[in-house]
Each structure stands twice: as structure tokens, then as C-alpha cells.
Amino acid sequence: MDVEKIQQVIERMDSYKHYGKVMQVVGLMIESIGPQATIGDVCLIHPANKRKSPVMAEVVGFNKKMIMLMPYSEVTEIGPGCLVESTGKPLTVKVGQPLLGSVVDSLGRKLDQSMLPKGLTNCITEQAPPNPMLRPPIAEPIQVGVKAIDALLTMGKGQRIGIFAGSGVGKSTLLGMIARNSSADINVIALIGERGREVREFIEKDLTAEGLKKSIVVVATSDQPALMRIKGAYTATAISEYFRNQGYDVNLMMDSVTRVAMAQREVGLAVGEPPTTKGYTPSVFAMLPKLLERAGTNQQGTITGLYTVLVDGDDMNDIIADTVRGILDGHFVMDRQLAERGQYPAINILKSISRVMNQIVDADHLAAAQQIRSLMAVYEENHELIQIGAYKNGSNAEIDTAIYFHDKILDFLKQGTNDYVTLDDSIASMKQLLNGGMTDGTNCHLYKASGYTGKG
């Protein structure tokens, strides 16, 4: 036993507990005089009614000598004079292998009100992104189990993708498909700002018991305080980082980043930040890269990020959508018109891109994917002429080929929510689609010009 070290610890200990005092509560904000604390520290506010449990709150700012706190829960029992105690540390949650299959809140507590399993480790929710020079390049594809993505928008392990869509176009259903069918070891799913009714529906219908076995779901519903919605995103990311550091390939799925940004806007406005575009405060645009950059690769494992972005009125140039698109490694656009035509998943291939696909697929796969995109683009450019019957067959070989392949491509892109398709099967089906178009002698010079050999 090292007596000197123990003596040093004892000397550093404060034999007194220091408390502050609540002075006023304005809207979302609690202001107190004392105790000594720093930004991000968790404080406990003791209600006047001694039988009530302390309310957890976080230091979010200072106003002269006043400490500005935001609570993690409702503040019905808080009033002037209530004691404020600083824990001296930021929010930590418990995480580990026994947590798989659980549904937890932003503070890491199980939502079914049962006890946490034993053998968990404490983990700080706010951490710095990995050093850029210590990030291995993305070099290996990951199966997501959706043909349209695996074949035409192939993702890599450690890639971060945004799924952009308006409400009701199928984002949650797509995330459920990926969670069940992905080749990743573990799924961490953050449901931020969801309606309370939809949480259980997502878990039972979209994720299913099969997907939940290898998943941890973090829930912060729309009725919870803004800080809980923000912390839901940070907690899910911290859980993903823990498993990445254990050497696992993790899928981090967040629905949605837009609601995290809205929650941060509420906090920013409450502490007095000046509003900018659409009322978003500067802290929103500082927070987004810090959060999204935490996903990706490190020397132990990978976090593949799938972040849904809810765009107002299907406007893909919305300020949050534009900011997130600039940070991530690609984007999938879900199109309401495709959904209305009965195409599911309703991913608009021509408006979507995976920025790492060229680095992780072989030449044959890339050429076949580019060929299909070319055929879709030619058909889209001449869509109106074809629909009204103004185009005469034989006038243009490229258009003839695009018309021939159009229905075949649409059939390929459709997939039932319960259909399981491997990455290899998706690629083989795509190549077979193109080969099938050549067997009847169809003139397809676009196909030949692509360099695709039809082999493999």
C-alpha cells in the first residue's frame, strides 16, 4: 500500500460540501449563486420538499456571478432558495456488452424501469473526435442489406451518411431494415425527438426482436426537455465509441439530427445567443461537426454513421440539411414522388452519392453502377417526351436503351421491408440485370462504352 499517495489524496479532499442557492427560474433556465462549477458539470438541485429526489441539471453558461443551469427533467419542485450541489464532473453513463438488447434514456437508465445489468463501465458522454492522423482510411465495404444502397451507393465501414427526407417518406423503416440486415456487429440507435407512440412501434415493427438482440436503443422523446434531446445524441455516440474501442464494427443510427439541432437552438436562445438563419444560434453550427466527427474509424474499430435529416417542405437546401451534407461522407435523398409511386425504398439514386464508393469497390462493380446511373439519367432527361408520346423509337440509340432498361431497373430497386439480400447478391443481381439486357441483341453502346465486361 502506497501511504504517500493515500496521504496526498486525503490532503486534496475538501472536508466540506459547498452548495449554491437558486435565485430564479426563467423559462428553461435556472439561475443560482454558486456553487463552484465549470461548463458541462452536472449539478444536483435539492427541492424544498426533502422527500423528493434531487433534480439533475447541467451548467450551460454564466451571467456575471450567476450560474445558468438547464435541468434534465421537469422542474415542478424547484423554487428560490433551493440548494444546488455540484458533482464536479460531466454526465457519465454506464455501458458494456450486457447492455445489448436494452432501451435506455439519455442518462443511460433503462426505459422499462428495470435495473441495469452488472459488469458495465462508466463512460463520459462528451468526448473529442479521433485525431485525423490516427484515422485509418475507409477501405472495406459494409453490407446494409438494401439492394439500392449496396449495389449503387456502396457504403464503407466507418463512413458517415445522411438520409435526407421529409416526414412520412420511410426513413424509420429504412433504418429498421439496415439494423436487421447489416453485417455490422452492433447497432446503436438514437431516437431523438420522436413521438412517444412511435418508439415502441419502431422497436416492435421496424427493428423487431431479431434486430434488437444486437442493438442498444437510446430514446429522447419530443416531450422531454431540450437538454435531454441533445444528450440522447451524445449518449448514443459515446456508447458507439466504447464498442469501437473494443474492436467492433458499429452502426450508429440517429433519427434525427435536425431535432438535435432544434434542441440546441432552444438552449442557445435560452442562454441569450443571437439568432441567425431560421433562428438557429451559432452554437448549433459549432455543435454539429463536433458530434458528427466523432463517428468514423479509429485504430481499434469503426463507427458507420447513418444520420437522418428531416427537411422542411422537402427543401434539400434547408440550412441544417446543407450544413450536415457538407460534413458527412455522402447523402441519400428519399423522394416523396417515388414513395407515392409505390417504389420502396424511395431513394432517388441520381440525387444521392456515396463519396467513398470509388475507393472500396472493384472496377467491374463501379462500371456496372455507373452504367445504371447513366441509363437512369438519360431516361429522366427525356421523361416528358417519352410520357406524352413525342419520342419516336429508333431516333436515338441512347434513349432506346434507357427505355428498354427502365422497368428492369425499377424492379431491381424495389425491395420488401422483410427481404434479406446480401451485398454479394445485390452486386450479382445488378450485373445480371445488365447482362440480361444484352442477350436479346439490344443495341446498348452506352453499356459497351462504360468499360463493363459483364464478367464476375
Side-chain angles (χ1 to χ4, degrees), residues 148-163:
I149 296 174
D150 282 341
L152 299 170
L153 301 163
T154 312
M155 292 179 59
K157 291 181 179 178
Q159 185 176 359
R160 298 160 306 145
I161 283 285
I163 300 174

Side-chain angles (χ1 to χ4, degrees), residues 25-30 43-48 52-58 69-79 82 105 107 109 220-229 266:
V25 179
V26 181
L28 304 173
M29 199 63 59
I30 300 169
C43 293
L44 301 175
I45 305 174
H46 297 269
K52 297 289 184 179
S53 300
V55 174
M56 293 179 67
E58 184 175 309
L69 301 154
M70 290 201 77
Y72 290 129
S73 59
E74 298 300 329
V75 289
T76 52
E77 300 291 331
I78 303 299
C82 289
D105 67 7
L107 305 182
R109 303 172 301 198
T221 52
S222 57
D223 60 296
Q224 293 184 319
L227 203 58
M228 283 290 273
R229 283 174 270 146
E266 289 181 42

